[in-house]
Amino acid sequence: MSSEVTTLPKWQLQAVLVGQSVATTMILYGQPYYAKQSLGWSPATIALTQAAIGMLTAISSVLGGRVIERRGCCASLRLGLYGLIAGSLAGWTLPEGWNMVVAIVLVAGFQGFIWPAIEAAITRGEPQERVQHLVGMYNIGWSGASGLAFFLTTPAMSAFGLRAMYALPLMLYLFNLFLVRKVLPDYDSIPDEHHTVVDPEGVELTPQQRHAFRLLGWLASPMAYVAINVIVTYNPAVAQRIGVSFATASSWFSLWFYVRMVAFDLLRRWSGWHYRPSLLFAAFGVTMLSFAGMMLAPSLTVHLVAQVLFGLSIGLLYQSSLFYSMAGSAEKGTHGGFHESFIGLGIATGASMAFVGNRLAPQHPGLSVGLVWAVMAVALLAMWRVTRQMR
């Protein structure tokens, strides 16, 4: 298959991706605000809920990868959307409290059938140079939509009621189901034969080296989500501390979403970061420092600067994980499932750190920062061992 051939149009997948990202972000990232505003939950209780979301995501992503390999991407998308529609409908209609619990269980439990399917479909049959571009476009799509959704979440909840965070997702999930059933091409029919991968110097990597880089990405990307989910859990408290109102909190705190999107576009255009562990380690260090800056910021200005650094650094961590999972992979569904599953584990770990920190020192987020740094140090050591064995 020639690298110049466009296998099948991708815009339908991008449309599904954007709708999925907006809807899921509103529900899962809006949950801490909903729980605090409507139910009066403490950060510790919110953190436990986020940990459950992470574990459900980790499990469902592995299952989603298996469904993709056995029945195809479209079957996995349909199954996932049925669960997401049920979850958003429950959030909109069930009694207070139960609506949120049922919604997040179903949304977290079925989103794992969606993301790996889109990742596998969008890169199936593509050579390495196209995989870089398509992974970048995928990341720009979901991150831009996610940033927009987070920007609008608390303003929409403030203007139309707290359950607005379920109404728009329900409509988007229904539209996505229509696209999947009636519009989406049969990506599963594309021959997937491009399994050769080269480094920036043009040297072909062995299967063992490609596996090592997948491990590096799978270790690094979850650490971004460890930090993200501590940040998300503490966002209401941080907003209160630095004087940001509920109605504008998610708008101010969404800057890093957009910076991450810019990072994805830069990495889509530049291939020099491919298979260079030193750049991955540098981004990891910046992630640690900027995370602390966001958690401990004494003012909104400091928080915004830290968000810029955070968005740039985690962009490389995530892009590396997905690119290494897809480039040269003969099992894109399985590898995409593991990529998303490790993110789910990162979410659960980060939320658990927030829970412990809040229980031990609820007025001092510095403890949660220290706990997250300890977990990230362990991951950094594991990455160093993988790199040393690879060399």
Side-chain angles (χ1 to χ4, degrees), residues 20-179:
Q20 167 73 13
S21 186
V22 169
T24 305
T25 298
M26 289 194 75
I27 293 176
L28 298 185
Y29 279 62
Q31 181 270 330
Y33 294 98
Y34 188 100
K36 187 176 189 297
Q37 197 76 4
S38 176
L39 307 175
W41 286 11
S42 68
T45 307
I46 293 171
L48 282 180
T49 307
Q50 291 290 317
I53 288 172
M55 290 306 300
L56 288 168
T57 300
I59 294 168
S60 68
S61 296
V62 173
L63 295 176
R66 292 180 179 177
V67 170
I68 293 164
E69 294 298 334
R70 294 174 182 176
R71 299 179 56 193
C73 298
C74 288
S76 185
L77 287 168
R78 288 194 298 270
L79 177 59
L81 283 166
Y82 292 142
L84 295 171
I85 289 167
S88 54
L89 184 61
W92 193 26
T93 60
L94 289 183
E96 199 71 39
W98 283 107
N99 68 320
M100 189 190 70
V101 172
V102 175
I104 61 176
V105 167
L106 290 175
V107 172
F110 280 90
Q111 68 167 335
F113 293 89
I114 302 293
W115 303 115
I118 299 176
E119 293 160 2
I122 206 168
T123 59
R124 185 174 174 84
E126 301 286 357
Q128 182 176 347
E129 60 270 23
R130 286 273 295 164
V131 169
Q132 174 184 340
H133 166 73
L134 292 168
V135 163
M137 293 303 298
Y138 169 89
N139 286 338
I140 291 168
W142 73 256
S143 63
S146 178
L148 176 63
F150 190 58
F151 182 89
L152 296 175
T153 294
T154 59
M157 293 164 71
S158 180
F160 303 109
L162 297 179
R163 295 198 183 206
M165 64 178 272
Y166 301 111
L168 177 60
L170 176 59
M171 291 184 283
L172 290 171
Y173 289 142
L174 287 169
F175 181 67
N176 272 358
L177 184 61
F178 167 77
L179 289 178

Side-chain angles (χ1 to χ4, degrees), residues 36-334:
K36 187 176 189 297
Q37 197 76 4
S38 176
L39 307 175
W41 286 11
S42 68
T45 307
I46 293 171
L48 282 180
T49 307
Q50 291 290 317
I53 288 172
M55 290 306 300
L56 288 168
T57 300
I59 294 168
S60 68
S61 296
V62 173
L63 295 176
R66 292 180 179 177
V67 170
I68 293 164
E69 294 298 334
R70 294 174 182 176
R71 299 179 56 193
C73 298
C74 288
S76 185
L77 287 168
R78 288 194 298 270
L79 177 59
L81 283 166
Y82 292 142
L84 295 171
I85 289 167
S88 54
L89 184 61
W92 193 26
T93 60
L94 289 183
E96 199 71 39
W98 283 107
N99 68 320
M100 189 190 70
V101 172
V102 175
I104 61 176
V105 167
L106 290 175
V107 172
F110 280 90
Q111 68 167 335
F113 293 89
I114 302 293
W115 303 115
I118 299 176
E119 293 160 2
I122 206 168
T123 59
R124 185 174 174 84
E126 301 286 357
Q128 182 176 347
E129 60 270 23
R130 286 273 295 164
V131 169
Q132 174 184 340
H133 166 73
L134 292 168
V135 163
M137 293 303 298
Y138 169 89
N139 286 338
I140 291 168
W142 73 256
S143 63
S146 178
L148 176 63
F150 190 58
F151 182 89
L152 296 175
T153 294
T154 59
M157 293 164 71
S158 180
F160 303 109
L162 297 179
R163 295 198 183 206
M165 64 178 272
Y166 301 111
L168 177 60
L170 176 59
M171 291 184 283
L172 290 171
Y173 289 142
L174 287 169
F175 181 67
N176 272 358
L177 184 61
F178 167 77
L179 289 178
V180 169
R181 295 185 67 89
K182 302 295 184 181
V183 179
L184 213 65
D186 182 13
Y187 293 100
D188 298 308
S189 65
I190 301 172
D192 195 24
E193 301 168 349
H194 291 282
H195 300 148
T196 299
V197 175
V198 297
D199 67 14
E201 282 72 42
V203 178
E204 183 176 349
L205 275 69
T206 66
Q208 292 77 16
Q209 288 174 315
R210 298 205 304 267
H211 177 67
F213 276 103
R214 278 195 293 270
L215 287 178
L216 285 178
W218 291 346
L219 286 167
S221 183
M223 293 303 104
Y225 283 85
V226 170
I228 287 169
N229 280 272
V230 172
I231 291 167
V232 168
T233 302
Y234 274 92
N235 266 346
V238 172
Q240 186 176 22
R241 190 185 75 236
I242 63 178
V244 176
S245 69
F246 173 81
T248 62
S250 72
S251 300
W252 283 113
F253 289 177
S254 64
L255 175 61
W256 65 268
F257 284 80
Y258 301 107
V259 177
R260 179 179 60 182
M261 182 176 65
V262 171
F264 287 150
D265 190 48
L266 294 174
L267 296 169
R268 176 180 69 90
R269 299 170 184 275
W270 175 55
S271 62
W273 58 273
H274 292 181
Y275 304 103
R276 295 191 188 277
S278 59
L279 291 177
L280 196 59
F281 280 94
F284 199 102
V286 175
T287 298
M288 295 177 71
L289 293 173
S290 55
F291 157 70
M294 291 171 68
M295 288 286 289
L296 304 176
S299 67
L300 181 59
T301 300
V302 173
H303 198 280
L304 293 174
V305 172
Q307 283 191 68
V308 171
L309 295 174
F310 187 72
L312 290 173
S313 59
I314 66 172
L316 180 58
L317 301 188
Y318 188 95
Q319 191 104 328
S320 296
S321 178
L322 184 55
F323 175 76
Y324 296 150
S325 295
M326 294 295 110
S329 171
E331 300 175 274
K332 290 181 170 60
T334 298

